[in-house]
Amino acid sequence: MAKDHANGPEELESLIKEVLEAYPEKARKKRAKHLAVTTPTDEAPDPVTGIASNCDAAKSNIKSVPGVMTIRGCAYAGSKGVVWGPIKDMVHISHGPVGCGQYSWSQRRNYYVGETGVDSFVTMQFTTDFQEKDIVFGGDKKLEKTIDEINGLFPLANGITVQSECPIGLIGDDIEAVAKKKHKDIGKTIVPVRCEGFRGVSQSLGHHIANDAVRDWIFEKPESEAAKSYEPGPYDVNIIGDYNIGGDAWASRILLEEIGLSVVGCWSGDATLAEMERAPKARLNLIHCYRSMNYICRYMEEKYAIGWMEYNFFGPTQIAASLRAIAAQFDAAIQENAEKVIARYQPLVAAVLAKYRPRLEGKSVMLYVGGLRPRHVVTAYDDLGMVIAGTGYEFAHADDYKRTGHYVKEGTLIYDDVTGYELEKFIERVRPDLVGSGIKEKYPVQKMGIPFRQMHSWDYSGPYHGYDGFAIFARDMDMAINNPVWGLFDAPWQAPPAALAAE
């Protein structure tokens, strides 16, 4: 299919103006703040991050324009679906009507080791199933009964969280009082989370609320037996903000242990309550998804003097850079081990690049995802010789875009909280060789004749982290772009008139 690429900063700026013309004046002014093209920068690197940004012009973390088709999630999604949901040995109750729990039921591929329904509950749904009478008379008693039922049916569950849905904040259920009462009754950790979906402008506030719940109901409580009995070592680290999508956290853990570090806990992917409780004993927090977990890392730094650093295990260039940066926080033995590990994987890297780079070199990609992927995964594409034509976040803050400037090149299209209309028009004009976004965007993009990869959950593949993950990543991108199916049909506007008449 012939391509008509939009390229160059001037053409992209013109494209933004053209797309905005479809909106009423008020909406146009608001949306214009969220769209930008990266430009050269003379800005000095940030003293903390070491990053000089060239794409912080896009506004973010602002309420979506009513009436446009936003692709954001809500605060409940940020808490239950991201932070708390993957904690495997706790039961997570969706407190409210059944719909929110049903929608968030096992939608992310948070892999875990355990016996489902016995000591692990990630893929199970628990809800108080609000009815009209519960809205009128309150659901406190129903919540208490649900907790009692869970304790009886699943005695090996080590704790329970209450993930409140929108009606809970409206009717005023006192979930904190219930949590305290039932903790005394059954002796287990009960965590109330005020993550009603209407809070904030996106799921980002849900992350923050969930982090605060960890602080208030895990760390600020009397030290548990799991924490008391743990003897810390000199090489203890926590992996924070890796949700083990397709096994990502396992791949990261392997590399860290290979250089000689001891992973105290990895949360919330494949995590237990005990791992969270003993987290303050670690020497260093390694944060993967900065947006969702920086809050608790900052708290642990202030309260327990545990340093933290962001790392990136997508693609061999950033894997090596991250391993060296992590090792630099420890002694010479760890640093030497890091170099040995990097060298050991170079034959694998060379083989992957020899096979896939010639097939992918110069191919363009547009990304629109949440969390860290719009910037972290850029380097994996760079390693394959691919070009990022556009990238953006669903629920980023200003510091996310500041960090993104470290990864993307001048003349990259940047879009924050992009609407369905905007994204479709950008893709039509840019005509990238690949789009990486979510499930809602997958099928419309494929109908446009453009290859697609689902970059929220790796399209049922993975892991993508680590050296082995890079091999899987390269294979998947090649399968998408070079699949012969794209040459087997014509777009309707390119099909011969006779063929259309025959249909």
Side-chain angles (χ1 to χ4, degrees), residues 47 266 412 487:
C266 177
T412 304

Side-chain angles (χ1 to χ4, degrees), residues 88 103 115 138 156 207 235 238 240 284-285 295 316 335 356 360 388 392 396 399 427 464 489:
K88 63 184 178 181
Y103 178 76
E115 191 70 29
L156 295 185
H207 304 150
Y235 301 127
N238 292 311
I240 306 291
L284 180 68
N285 283 326
Y295 316 102
Q335 295 171 32
Y356 293 109
L360 297 171
I388 302 300
D399 50 352
I427 293 170
Y464 283 176
F489 68 93

